[in-house]
Amino acid sequence: MSKPSTILRFEDGSVQFRQRLVVSLLSHRPILIRNIRSDDLQNPGLKDYEASFLRLIDQITNGTKIEINSTGTQLRFQPGVLLGGEFEHQCPDSRSIGWFLEGILPLAPFGKETFSILFHGTTDGCCETDPSPDYLRISALPLFAKFGIGADDDGHGAQIRVIQRAAAPLGGGKVMFSCPIVKEFQSIDFTDPGKIKRIRGTAISCKIVSSSMTARVAYGAKGVFHRLLPDVWIHTDVHSPKRNGCAPSPGLSLVVSSESTTGVIMTAECCLDPNSERGSELPEDLGKRGACLLLEEIRRGGCIDTSCQSLALLWMCLTPEDVSRIRLGTLSQYTIETLRLLKRVFDVEFKLAPDMETKT
């Protein structure tokens, strides 16, 4: 096993940018990233959202050293110590709040005190590239409890709360994230997916003229789900600038989740593309698309969402010596790259045993 102080060198640019910074902080090993978009003659180097994420990491840590060359194509990162406390961060409009929130989720429990941060930026309308805060609240936060985060006497676990909604592209929303420190990291044994017993969801609109749009989205989604099971509830959440103080950009989205008899939660989301032509997709079609995305996530199997695979595997590396087991569905390419990164940084190998009966 290599020494913890050995520098990690990456020559493939901005691939897994957030994940590499996270494992650098958790392993206390410096990293050197080269060739960051060096082939892009127009805009080489770090993007504005990546520079903003570096500022966020510098803000929530003490002693972190960041060196970037003049063209932005090389980054040297010396990790510091996670602090905890209360913070505030302004996210650029090029990425939603969910992109930054997803990046710091693995770090939040390891501070010196309870971690709390208020994000400013876009909350909805970017689900094709970035997860929404509602999606992360439903899919990722149950994992915190599985690993023993927030399992203290007062029972206050990690929370994600949308204070003000804002659809792409203008932004202007607010999201609060808080997480207690972990007292004892628990190993997990999460292998029984169970049977689906209920469907829950929320249709969300921002600055839409007709409040019936969310009802039409819910109607389209329930038309698909009711063919399979009766316990389906999809609520509507309508936001307007006058009543709720939402941002000026219009948006329409749907977040749906399924819960099984063993507590397994699968989640999917979809939204109207803010760059598409008006009327290109009807609200009913948006609801059906969201329902089909959830059914596809269920078909892949496993006990966690595809997007949460890398988070679960990272925390499994940090658990005590007890063996952790988890059932995963189809591995995403991002998860495969994460497994290689964890092997290189923590020298931890996972034993993958395919189950031909459930195809997981």
Side-chain angles (χ1 to χ4, degrees):
M1 185 175 177
S2 57
K3 295 181 180 180
S5 59
T6 305
I7 189 169
L8 297 166
R9 301 177 185 273
F10 300 97
E11 304 290 340
D12 52 355
S14 59
V15 178
Q16 286 195 309
F17 182 77
R18 295 171 300 168
Q19 194 79 332
R20 288 172 177 174
L21 295 176
V22 166
V23 298
S24 173
L25 284 164
L26 294 179
S27 64
H28 301 290
R29 296 180 63 180
I31 61 173
L32 175 64
I33 303 176
R34 290 194 176 113
N35 303 320
I36 302 175
R37 299 185 183 87
S38 56
D39 296 334
D40 190 345
L41 300 179
Q42 298 294 329
N43 297 299
L46 294 169
K47 298 292 187 182
D48 60 338
Y49 54 87
E50 292 168 337
S52 179
F53 188 76
L54 286 172
R55 288 193 294 271
L56 173 60
I57 293 295
D58 186 50
Q59 184 181 3
I60 65 176
T61 58
N62 184 29
T64 296
K65 296 180 181 179
I66 302 171
E67 298 178 9
I68 305 172
N69 67 352
S70 58
T71 58
T73 57
Q74 179 174 304
L75 167 67
R76 187 182 296 272
F77 182 81
Q78 179 75 36
V81 179
L82 290 164
L83 294 174
E86 297 182 359
F87 304 97
E88 194 168 347
H89 184 70
Q90 177 68 49
C91 304
D93 294 336
S94 52
R95 283 286 195 172
S96 74
I97 291 175
W99 188 83
F100 293 85
L101 185 55
E102 186 183 36
I104 65 168
L105 280 180
L107 301 173
F110 300 102
K112 294 183 177 180
E113 56 181 318
T114 300
F115 181 85
S116 176
I117 185 168
L118 176 65
F119 287 103
H120 297 264
T122 302
T123 61
D124 301 277
C126 302
C127 60
E128 299 300 329
T129 55
D130 306 331
S132 68
D134 301 276
Y135 178 90
L136 293 173
R137 174 176 54 83
I138 298 171
S139 65
L141 291 194
L143 265 181
F144 282 66
K146 292 287 182 184
F147 283 94
I149 301 168
D152 49 1
D153 296 334
D154 56 10
H156 293 296
Q159 294 181 342
I160 297 176
R161 187 163 56 94
V162 179
I163 299 175
Q164 180 175 323
R165 293 199 178 273
L170 297 181
K174 298 177 182 178
V175 174
M176 174 66 75
F177 169 59
S178 60
C179 178
I181 59 174
V182 60
K183 295 183 178 179
E184 184 180 0
F185 227 41
Q186 300 175 1
S187 57
I188 63 169
D189 190 355
F190 200 26
T191 56
D192 186 5
K195 302 291 184 181
I196 303 301
K197 65 177 182 179
R198 65 167 68 101
I199 301 287
R200 296 291 183 265
T202 306
I204 304 165
S205 69
C206 292
K207 201 194 171 185
I208 299 293
V209 175
S210 175
S211 60
S212 65
M213 298 283 272
T214 52
R216 292 169 62 186
V217 172
Y219 177 80
K222 287 189 286 187
V224 176
F225 290 134
H226 275 311
R227 302 176 193 172
L228 306 171
L229 75 168
D231 191 358
V232 179
W233 286 85
I234 298 180
H235 303 277
T236 59
D237 189 7
V238 181
H239 292 259
S240 62
K242 291 183 179 180
R243 188 173 62 178
N244 308 98
C246 71
S249 297
L252 188 64
S253 60
L254 173 69
V255 182
V256 284
S257 63
S258 65
E259 185 179 347
S260 76
T261 52
T262 56
V264 172
I265 297 176
M266 293 290 185
T267 315
E269 67 173 341
C270 64
C271 60
L272 286 180
D273 186 357
N275 299 319
S276 62
E277 296 182 4
R278 186 175 182 180
S280 59
E281 185 177 26
L282 296 175
E284 292 83 359
D285 295 336
L286 180 69
K288 292 177 182 177
R289 179 158 66 92
C292 292
L293 287 173
L294 179 59
L295 295 179
E296 171 63 20
E297 192 67 46
I298 296 172
R299 183 200 66 80
R300 293 173 183 169
C303 294
I304 55 174
D305 289 336
T306 305
S307 63
C308 292
Q309 291 175 351
S310 58
L311 174 63
L313 294 174
L314 172 60
W315 280 352
M316 286 171 70
C317 291
L318 306 175
T319 55
E321 295 300 322
D322 296 339
V323 175
S324 293
R325 298 192 306 162
I326 193 168
R327 184 181 296 276
L328 302 178
T330 306
L331 294 180
S332 65
Q333 186 61 39
Y334 189 85
T335 303
I336 294 172
E337 294 294 333
T338 299
L339 287 170
R340 294 170 180 161
L341 179 64
L342 298 178
K343 171 65 172 72
R344 181 175 176 184
V345 177
F346 296 104
D347 199 21
V348 174
E349 291 186 0
F350 289 84
K351 181 182 178 182
L352 303 179
D355 187 345
M356 301 309 297
E357 183 179 350
T358 59
K359 296 182 179 180
T360 57

